[in-house]
Amino acid sequence: MSPKVTMVFVRNGRVSSDRVSGADLSRLLDGPDFLVDLYGSWAGPGSGLEHGWDRGGVLVDLDARFLLFRTSLGPLADSHGLRRAVLAVLGDAALAERERAEGTGWWDWAGWTVRWAERGLADFVARLDLPPDLLGGGCEREPAALEQVLERIGLAGTVIGDIAQTWEEYRAEPRLVHPGYPAHRETVLSVRFGDGRLGDFGCDVDVFEVLSVGPALVEALADRDPVPVPDEFFAGSGILIDVTAREVWAWPPPTCPAEAAVAGAWPGWRVRWHDEGLPGQVTRSGRDPAPIRLAPRLLLLEAAEWAGLNQQAVLEEYDAVGRFAGPAPAVPADGTAGGGDRWHRWLSERRRRRARPLPPEVQWRIDEPRRRAARERRFVELLLTHGDRRRH
């Protein structure tokens, strides 16, 4: 069975929902009107969140013009750089108006507030004013031992065969990473020691397990050799520990009460969470995040994967300055699809043989593959040119 997301609509004060396929959420590119037309008529009463969700959710609040979404699948789930770009483009009202006027964009969320659900289901429950007990206790986690964490320092967690890669091996792939390379596997630890030194360390232990060790971790890392901060492409989580301020910043935020409880392992310290990714961590440590932000080519790869485009074909159109080589393909004036499946060949042949136009619903189906490809290609281009304006 294909993974599902819970699609929730709020319209005229009424809440309705349905579980639908498409957990990568690429359908967001179709805009609110399309989502309502496609899923809204099938939605049943209620939020559909009484028993949690499968792989994520989308909340389309038509009354407040508010979009909230989250998925656990695809590059959008793991890549803060891609999410940052997607949120910037979807939420740019002026850009949406311009694209609509030029006829190049169909993801018209102009005037909407667009948000990623940082804390997962908890954000949906809060937004819809649902009973907090819907979240349950769930997510039982056992704290890690200090020795377990220390033995994983220097490893990136990617396994090829039976061999765990070191951080040097994991990051050895150049920035021109081939499609499908395992990304966002490393937890980056940054420690500002009491003497003012700043050290960075990589490991393959998740944030919950690292934090569960408590302040003993700081003393254990004091004699370790630091490593360079990786490109954002390789990082999946991180922690910044400031010994003098007795403060900890960690990301991504916890999505269940058990993970949030790790703050108890740091008595006398202030444990905070953010969802700004590695650039936010580097900025809070007093450094410039620009060198480690997701490189344009890697953003292109992830965006193409999310939008369902052929990554190799998109890369071939990408030039050295980060732009596409030519204009987005337009839908042919004669409406031919150019597709290889029998449906499109039959309709195209019928179109050529008939003197009068096809019915609008049939013509729309002919045009849709090219129209969608042009829309997705244009959106990916905008991610490169407009999607990195949010600075942390």
Side-chain angles (χ1 to χ4, degrees):
M1 181 178 293
S2 62
K4 304 287 187 180
V5 295
T6 301
M7 189 76 64
V8 184
F9 297 95
V10 178
R11 182 166 33 183
N12 299 324
R14 296 183 177 181
V15 179
S16 59
S17 64
D18 191 16
R19 289 201 169 193
V20 303
S21 300
D24 61 355
L25 304 190
S26 59
R27 279 296 188 181
L28 292 177
L29 300 184
D30 294 308
D33 293 339
F34 185 89
L35 291 180
V36 171
D37 291 343
L38 183 62
Y39 302 119
S41 59
W42 296 94
S47 69
L49 300 174
E50 292 78 7
H51 305 289
W53 57 23
D54 182 8
R55 295 305 181 99
V58 177
L59 169 61
V60 181
D61 189 335
L62 297 160
D63 297 342
R65 297 177 69 82
F66 183 90
L67 172 67
L68 180 70
F69 61 94
R70 187 182 179 96
T71 178
S72 61
L73 289 180
L76 198 64
D78 299 322
S79 175
H80 284 76
L82 176 61
R83 287 208 302 270
R84 190 168 56 242
V86 169
L87 288 170
V89 172
L90 287 180
D92 191 327
L95 179 62
E97 292 287 356
R98 190 196 74 187
E99 293 295 310
R100 180 169 56 183
E102 295 179 359
T104 54
W106 290 267
W107 52 91
D108 192 359
W109 296 95
W112 284 66
T113 300
V114 181
R115 295 286 185 268
W116 170 261
E118 296 180 1
R119 296 181 180 270
L121 183 59
D123 287 348
F124 281 71
V125 168
R127 180 72 191 183
L128 294 169
D129 197 24
L130 300 174
D133 57 10
L134 285 181
L135 300 176
C139 190
E140 296 297 330
R141 302 290 299 273
E142 291 293 331
L146 177 61
E147 295 74 17
Q148 292 175 314
V149 174
L150 292 179
E151 70 181 13
R152 307 304 297 181
I153 297 292
L155 298 179
T158 303
V159 176
I160 298 179
D162 293 324
I163 303 173
Q165 290 182 299
T166 65
W167 68 268
E168 297 101 331
E169 294 167 335
Y170 178 54
R171 303 179 194 174
E173 285 284 335
R175 286 186 170 231
L176 307 183
V177 175
H178 60 78
Y181 188 77
H184 311 294
R185 299 292 182 88
E186 188 173 349
T187 296
V188 180
L189 313 178
S190 301
V191 182
R192 177 76 69 181
F193 294 100
D195 59 5
R197 290 182 298 121
L198 180 63
D200 298 297
F201 310 89
C203 70
D204 69 346
V205 183
D206 71 23
V207 168
F208 172 85
E209 293 177 314
V210 175
L211 287 178
S212 69
V213 172
L217 178 65
V218 176
E219 183 177 351
L221 291 176
D223 297 329
R224 295 274 184 136
D225 292 330
V227 301
V229 179
D231 186 286
E232 186 179 8
F233 178 80
F234 298 105
S237 56
I239 302 171
L240 171 63
I241 303 173
D242 189 325
V243 175
T244 302
R246 297 181 70 80
E247 188 174 66
V248 176
W249 283 93
W251 61 277
T255 57
C256 70
E259 291 184 339
V262 298
W266 295 77
W269 292 64
R270 182 166 50 177
V271 178
R272 295 182 173 184
W273 301 89
H274 68 89
D275 196 38
E276 299 166 4
L278 189 59
Q281 178 174 326
V282 169
T283 299
R284 285 189 170 86
S285 70
R287 293 172 289 182
D288 181 7
I292 59 90
R293 294 175 78 88
L294 192 64
R297 185 183 176 95
L298 300 181
L299 174 59
L300 182 72
L301 279 171
E302 293 186 336
E305 179 186 353
W306 177 60
L309 302 176
N310 183 294
Q311 291 174 298
Q312 191 58 45
V314 170
L315 285 176
E316 290 174 357
E317 297 175 353
Y318 180 69
D319 63 23
V321 292
R323 294 179 182 275
F324 284 83
V331 178
D334 63 358
T336 57
D341 60 87
R342 289 184 297 172
W343 165 258
H344 290 111
R345 287 200 302 270
W346 179 81
L347 285 178
S348 297
E349 180 64 22
R350 187 181 177 196
R351 173 73 169 86
R352 285 191 290 269
R353 291 180 178 180
R354 295 180 58 168
R356 62 181 182 275
L358 290 170
E361 64 274 12
V362 177
Q363 186 66 56
W364 181 90
R365 191 168 181 180
I366 294 176
D367 294 346
E368 178 59 13
R370 287 284 185 89
R371 184 184 295 110
R372 185 173 177 83
R375 174 178 66 245
E376 292 167 344
R377 187 177 182 276
R378 176 61 177 166
F379 186 81
V380 169
E381 180 179 8
L382 289 173
L383 291 182
L384 295 174
T385 58
H386 293 76
D388 207 24
R389 291 179 174 178
R390 289 188 175 185
R391 298 290 172 176
H392 300 305

